[in-house]
Amino acid sequence: LEGYFKGGLVDYLGYAPDGDFLGNDTSQPEFKFLKDKGIQIVPYNKSSLKPLDEYGKSIEVTEEKYKQFLKKREQYVKEDITKLINGEGTIENEKDEPEPLPKSKVKDVTPDELKSWIMRKTNQANAKAMEDVFNGTQAPKSNDKRKVDTE
């Protein structure tokens, strides 16, 4: 159950929380930057990959296609990290308005700010990689499961 929960959480978040590092070559500056902030991109769980074609029909996920998806996803995320590190990002000011984030200030981005950003970027990378590799989209989460909650 722990592995299932962790895998599902990682797929949902798009990163491994609390220093749980998996994969990625930290000799690459992009991934070292994330690791230094306590974050590292993790592989998308193959069982969570459910591509659909334009008609809503399931597309088979072969091992080869899965590996292509992971490679494309990592490429897109790495491109965004590179842009951020090079000072091509923005950050909200006190008025919640985006302003340029110069290269010299990237080091001041907090882990929480970075987690929020990396979640958005991995979700975007997932969608782009899904389109590139499968020429499709990810199936929506099923709503036929019972939900557990506390108050």
Side-chain angles (χ1 to χ4, degrees):
L1 184 60
E2 179 182 325
Y4 176 78
F5 174 73
K6 184 177 174 183
L9 179 65
V10 165
D11 284 346
Y12 175 74
L13 295 177
Y15 68 92
D18 301 327
D20 185 11
F21 303 126
L22 303 171
N24 292 321
D25 178 3
T26 55
S27 68
Q28 297 179 46
E30 297 84 2
F31 298 126
K32 182 175 181 339
F33 170 75
L34 291 182
K35 184 176 181 180
D36 290 347
K37 293 287 189 175
I39 300 169
Q40 192 166 11
I41 306 301
V42 295
Y44 197 99
N45 189 329
K46 183 179 177 184
S47 64
S48 297
L49 197 58
K50 303 197 182 313
L52 300 176
D53 67 16
E54 63 184 299
Y55 303 107
K57 184 178 175 188
S58 291
I59 301 170
E60 181 183 5
V61 180
T62 63
E63 192 62 29
E64 180 181 336
K65 289 283 189 182
Y66 173 63
K67 287 178 182 178
Q68 289 174 4
F69 172 83
L70 292 179
K71 187 174 180 178
K72 275 290 192 186
R73 176 182 184 253
E74 185 173 290
Q75 173 192 330
Y76 287 131
V77 171
K78 188 175 174 182
E79 287 170 2
D80 281 317
I81 298 167
T82 300
K83 288 178 186 176
L84 185 68
I85 291 171
N86 288 336
E88 298 173 35
T90 61
I91 192 162
E92 289 180 347
N93 62 22
E94 300 81 30
K95 296 177 185 177
D96 294 331
E97 299 168 337
E99 61 183 35
L101 180 61
K103 189 174 182 174
S104 62
K105 298 289 185 183
V106 171
K107 67 183 180 324
D108 300 330
V109 174
T110 68
D112 284 342
E113 292 168 332
L114 194 59
K115 285 176 187 176
S116 174
W117 175 80
I118 202 68
M119 284 173 55
R120 287 190 314 274
K121 292 305 170 182
T122 53
N123 285 335
Q124 291 169 1
N126 291 344
K128 286 190 220 174
M130 181 71 70
E131 178 65 32
D132 288 352
V133 175
F134 296 101
N135 198 24
T137 58
Q138 175 71 7
K141 301 255 188 233
S142 174
N143 290 330
D144 61 348
K145 295 181 182 178
R146 299 185 309 165
K147 293 185 177 155
V148 177
D149 198 0
T150 58
E151 292 186 29

